[in-house]
Amino acid sequence: MSARVPGGPARPRGRRAHARTRVARAGAPGGGGFLARAAAVTAGLTAAGAVLGLVRDQIMAGYFGAGAGTDAFLVAWTVPEFASTLLIEDAMALILVPAFSRALARRSAGLPGDPVRELVRGTLPRIVLALGLAAVVLIVAAPLLVAALAPGLPDPGLAVDCTRLTGTCVLSFALVGYCSAALRAHGRFLPPAAIYVAYNTGIIGTILVLREPWGVRSAAAGVAVGGVLMVLVQAPSLLRALRAPGRTPRPKAPPAPTGEGRVLVLGLIAPVVAFSLCRQSQTLIERFLASPLPAGAISHLNYAQKVAQMPMILSLMLCTVSFPVVARALAAGDPEAARRRVERDLLLAAVVVLVGSSTVIAAAPRIVELLFERGEFTAADTTATAAVMRVYALGLLGQTMVGALVRCYFSAARPLWYPAAAMAAGLATTAAAGVPGAHYWGAVGIAAANALGITLSAVLLLRGAHRQAVPVHVDRLGEGLLRLATASAWATGAGWLCQLAIGSAVLAVAVAGLVVAGVFLLFIACAAKAPEIPPLPRSAFRRTPHARRHRAAPSAAEAAPVEAAPVGGDVPLDHGHR
């Protein structure tokens, strides 16, 4: 049975026809269900990469401890950290995804030749040549780079050797970023999401094989191997996409690019890249300030930061899964729905990260003992790492707010320098506070400066968020965050007291976590004017057929198709255990 719309084709009626129509819309590239599944897959593989990164750090701690050797490796580790930001996550993606999208549109229009393959032939050889030469220059100039990054390092020769091995990632990461951008433009998200699983697998395997003859250099060699594996994970899928043009999505054909358009695109990209570089430079400042400290300080900072950031990674994955809801609301012209979703996401992310940070502060020595204290990692290393980790955890709420709030800024179709300026202000605060902090309190003072700087950036981003495309209610949100932070403080004290008399590290961490969660929720339930804790995003779950049949009609924001986000609208904000 069908009904006819005046002036239009017949349209099916009935529950089954309606269900088929909704399934078809949800499964189409760019549909809500497609984006929800892509976000869920990305979040799941990000979690897997983070777990493997933690395993990698455990293996390094057990084999190499926290001393001059690991300090040297971590200085060399700066190269892949910055290379991933520029070549995989931000700059390469923001330049190449629009280029491949235009080429796909021209291919769909039936123009002669194959615009996608022409784009590959015109860009890939130049990128390989330019960044291959850059990798060679970096390898040759490794002694100068190490001297600039860590002038007080106890073993600069070892750092130079490691830097020469990690320098190969400049070329491999460029290929990784190229493949990721092309695949995402083709609507294929699984291989790009798996790259950090392959990367950490390569590092772990290389350490296990080459540890005896090479020592900590095996970890640097693992970076080179992991970069190759990231390329191999994506290359077959990209080759199939290039050979099968009929299976690619057919985006709307945009107007032909002009010189003015290219300037506009660069103007949109530059603020995003500047923001990412300022955020990544927090680590650069930490290692620079820690290099004159006693051997092991850089390693203690690194281990503490990786463990303390796990709650933040989980909280930002929740925001990633709910991103399609925000995108549908904005595409439907419903900023109010987008605002409600973003505010709920911020409160939910705050709950997750505050419960996690309270557990970290309450049981930091037991967590480090459980994860790292074996082999070359001594009890003294546990004490030093736990002290740093507790201070790092004070800045986790700020880290999470920065990662979540920046969506409100980069969803605008105009260049916004305010996030980069806010991050630069936080970076300057970290540097200014870190100099006396390192002098008087060592690695703990550096961690405190980091927490202070990122918290300042979060406050600045929160204060300016009401003027953006998603106009959040700053005062109400700030009040809710303060009340959640108060609950976190009470929960931290309760968790710390309850784990003191427990001998087993595993049991102590479990008890601290349960007590923290219980006290936190009890405080929220009993406190006056406590913010409502929102449920998990519904897009993260698969509804049962019964639930789908009885669900109310979708709102305009939910039913609207999702247009392509503007440049900078879907920026990877945290990379977990790279």
Side-chain angles (χ1 to χ4, degrees):
M1 188 174 182
S2 62
R4 182 172 299 276
V5 178
R11 125 181 124 180
R13 294 171 101 182
R15 287 183 179 177
R16 292 183 180 177
H18 178 66
R20 284 195 299 270
T21 302
R22 289 193 61 187
V23 169
R25 287 177 180 172
F34 174 80
L35 284 179
R37 287 194 298 274
V41 167
T42 300
L45 287 173
T46 299
V51 170
L52 282 175
L54 181 59
V55 172
R56 176 201 70 210
D57 291 340
Q58 288 178 309
I59 290 173
M60 287 192 61
Y63 285 157
F64 310 122
T70 50
D71 286 356
F73 166 74
L74 289 170
V75 171
W77 183 255
T78 305
V79 176
E81 285 181 326
F82 269 82
S84 63
T85 297
L86 288 174
L87 301 178
I88 298 178
E89 306 296 350
D90 292 340
M92 186 75 78
L94 291 172
I95 293 171
L96 287 179
V97 169
F100 273 102
S101 298
R102 288 193 296 268
L104 286 167
R106 290 195 292 271
R107 172 194 275 176
S108 299
L111 297 179
D114 189 335
V116 176
R117 295 179 185 175
E118 291 174 3
L119 176 63
V120 173
R121 285 194 295 267
T123 57
L124 184 57
R126 297 177 183 179
I127 289 174
V128 170
L129 178 61
L131 292 174
L133 289 175
V136 171
V137 170
L138 190 150
I139 291 170
V140 172
L144 298 176
L145 180 63
V146 169
L149 292 177
L153 202 64
D155 192 351
L158 179 58
V160 169
D161 292 344
C162 292
T163 301
R164 284 175 170 155
L165 289 167
T166 60
T168 59
C169 74
V170 173
L171 177 58
S172 62
F173 281 20
L175 294 174
V176 171
Y178 193 96
C179 293
S180 296
L183 286 170
R184 286 170 179 148
H186 281 78
R188 304 186 182 192
F189 295 94
L190 180 60
I195 57 176
Y196 288 116
V197 174
Y199 180 54
N200 285 317
T201 300
I203 296 175
I204 291 170
T206 306
I207 292 175
L208 295 177
V209 172
L210 298 179
R211 173 179 63 91
E212 288 297 335
W214 283 21
V216 77
R217 293 177 180 85
S218 62
V223 172
V225 173
V228 174
L229 290 179
M230 286 197 288
V231 177
L232 296 179
V233 162
Q234 299 182 101
S237 183
L238 179 59
L239 290 175
R240 287 193 297 270
L242 294 176
R243 290 172 181 171
R247 289 200 293 257
T248 58
R250 303 174 74 87
K252 298 177 182 178
T258 62
E260 181 181 354
R262 283 191 290 270
V263 171
L264 176 60
V265 169
L266 290 176
L268 290 168
I269 291 171
V272 180
V273 175
F275 169 83
S276 300
L277 287 177
C278 286
R279 192 173 185 188
Q280 188 65 49
S281 295
Q282 293 271 4
T283 303
L284 191 66
I285 289 176
E286 290 177 15
R287 290 176 185 166
F288 181 87
L289 294 173
S291 62
L293 298 178
I298 295 177
S299 300
H300 297 148
L301 286 164
N302 176 72
Y303 291 131
Q305 186 182 57
K306 294 298 174 62
V307 177
Q309 284 185 347
M310 292 299 288
M312 181 193 68
I313 295 170
L314 177 60
S315 64
L316 289 178
M317 281 195 299
L318 297 175
C319 294
T320 300
V321 171
S322 71
F323 175 74
V325 180
V326 179
R328 284 198 296 272
L330 290 175
D334 191 356
E336 181 64 19
R339 179 195 62 76
R340 288 194 302 269
R341 181 70 262 173
V342 169
E343 289 181 356
R344 289 161 65 89
D345 289 350
L346 287 168
L347 289 175
L348 180 58
V351 168
V352 173
V353 78
L354 285 172
V355 170
S357 60
S358 294
T359 304
V360 166
I361 296 172
R366 317 309 295 274
I367 293 173
V368 178
E369 176 188 349
L370 178 63
L371 294 177
F372 298 125
E373 192 175 318
R374 59 184 63 86
E376 297 296 322
F377 199 92
T378 66
D381 293 325
T382 295
T383 301
T385 302
V388 174
M389 194 161 75
R390 278 175 162 155
V391 178
Y392 260 136
L394 298 176
L396 285 183
L397 180 60
Q399 293 274 10
T400 300
M401 291 299 102
V402 167
L405 282 168
V406 78
R407 292 187 303 164
C408 302
Y409 292 87
F410 291 148
S411 61
R414 63 185 186 277
L416 291 172
W417 286 96
Y418 184 80
M423 283 306 305
L427 189 66
T429 301
T430 298
V435 172
H439 179 74
Y440 291 106
W441 299 289
V444 173
I446 296 174
N450 179 288
L452 178 62
I454 197 65
T455 301
L456 174 63
S457 296
V459 170
L460 292 175
L461 289 174
L462 181 62
R463 294 302 304 171
H466 67 281
R467 298 189 297 269
Q468 306 311 314
V470 184
V472 298
H473 291 163
V474 173
D475 293 338
R476 187 169 64 191
L477 186 60
E479 182 180 355
L481 292 174
L482 284 175
R483 295 182 183 279
L484 291 176
T486 303
S488 175
W490 284 100
T492 300
W496 176 74
L497 287 173
C498 290
Q499 59 85 38
L500 283 177
I502 300 176
S504 168
V506 175
L507 186 59
V509 173
V511 168
L514 290 174
V515 170
V516 163
V519 172
F520 187 94
L521 294 176
L522 182 64
F523 185 93
I524 294 301
C526 297
K529 297 183 180 180
E532 177 186 357
I533 299 177
L536 289 173
R538 289 178 295 176
S539 59
F541 301 98
R542 185 185 298 276
R543 296 186 181 90
T544 63
H546 175 80
R548 284 195 294 266
R549 284 197 300 271
H550 293 279
R551 182 177 181 268
S555 66
E558 291 175 327
V562 179
E563 301 292 338
V567 175
D570 186 12
V571 182
L573 298 172
D574 192 85
H575 319 303
H577 278 70
R578 286 183 301 201

